[in-house]
Amino acid sequence: MAKDDAGAPTKVWEALPPELERKEVTDLRTSGAQISVRRPGVPEVRITLDRSEFVIGRQPTEVDLVLDDEWVSRRHARLWLDEKGYFRLEDLGSQNGIDFAGRPVRRLNLVDGDVFGIGRTEFTFHADMSRRGAPPASIPPPRAPSQVAEPPEPDSALIRAIEGEEESED
């Protein structure tokens, strides 16, 4: 695989499905998406993402969710719904990034149930990920167990020929 081709496989649609062409699909306010927020020593809360984009950070006048944490930048990350219907989380140039699956990331497409961290806060993303008009994913039937073939019986004439060669080498 060429270096430029590296990354997760993504299907490219020849044309967007009609439900993704509508303007209201690209607005978090109509998506019903939520995040669960867990901070040390604070009860967990669930927040509905009710803005066209949702910014997380430390500066109260510039963000939608304030995290009082020295590991969090003033404007740390933003979450939005892109024009193709993908929920996106993007680091806004913070020093500490976003933690996902134990590693730092700068951007990510979110799916229902994804867990990510910003500073000392852990988030779980919740959203209805169904796409109207898309065919349901089919699961292929399980494969039959492989049959292990028994090795063939050795050719006795070949064995005698090899043994004869070994004896004649002496």
Side-chain angles (χ1 to χ4, degrees), residues 3 17 21 24 30-32 35-36 42 61-62 71-72 80 98 103 105 115 130 132 159 164:
K3 191 171 190 171
E21 291 177 355
E24 69 269 16
T30 61
S31 70
I35 52 173
S36 295
V42 179
T61 59
E62 297 181 23
W71 293 95
V72 176
W80 82 101
I98 300 165
R103 66 178 204 267
V105 297
V115 177
S130 65
R132 295 177 304 234
I159 292 174

Side-chain angles (χ1 to χ4, degrees), residues 142-161:
R143 294 162 80 182
S146 303
Q147 297 294 324
V148 177
E150 292 295 323
E153 290 295 321
D155 183 357
S156 57
L158 180 60
I159 292 174
R160 281 193 303 271

Side-chain angles (χ1 to χ4, degrees), residues 68-82:
D68 185 19
D69 181 341
E70 66 270 12
W71 293 95
V72 176
S73 296
R74 290 179 315 177
R75 288 179 45 89
H76 196 103
R78 76 177 179 128
L79 201 149
W80 82 101
L81 188 61
D82 75 9

Side-chain angles (χ1 to χ4, degrees), residues 13 24 33-34 55-56 60 65 71 75 77 82-84 94 99 102 113 121 128 131 135 137 146 148-149 153 165:
W13 287 325
E24 69 269 16
Q34 298 181 329
V55 179
I56 301 168
L65 176 62
W71 293 95
R75 288 179 45 89
D82 75 9
E83 66 279 356
K84 294 181 181 173
S94 73
D99 180 69
T121 304
D128 176 13
R131 297 196 187 271
S146 303
V148 177
E153 290 295 321
E165 288 176 13

Side-chain angles (χ1 to χ4, degrees), residues 2 25 35 92 101 105-106 113 128 150 166 170:
V25 172
I35 52 173
L92 296 174
V105 297
R106 291 290 173 194
D128 176 13
E150 292 295 323
E166 289 176 359
D170 290 336

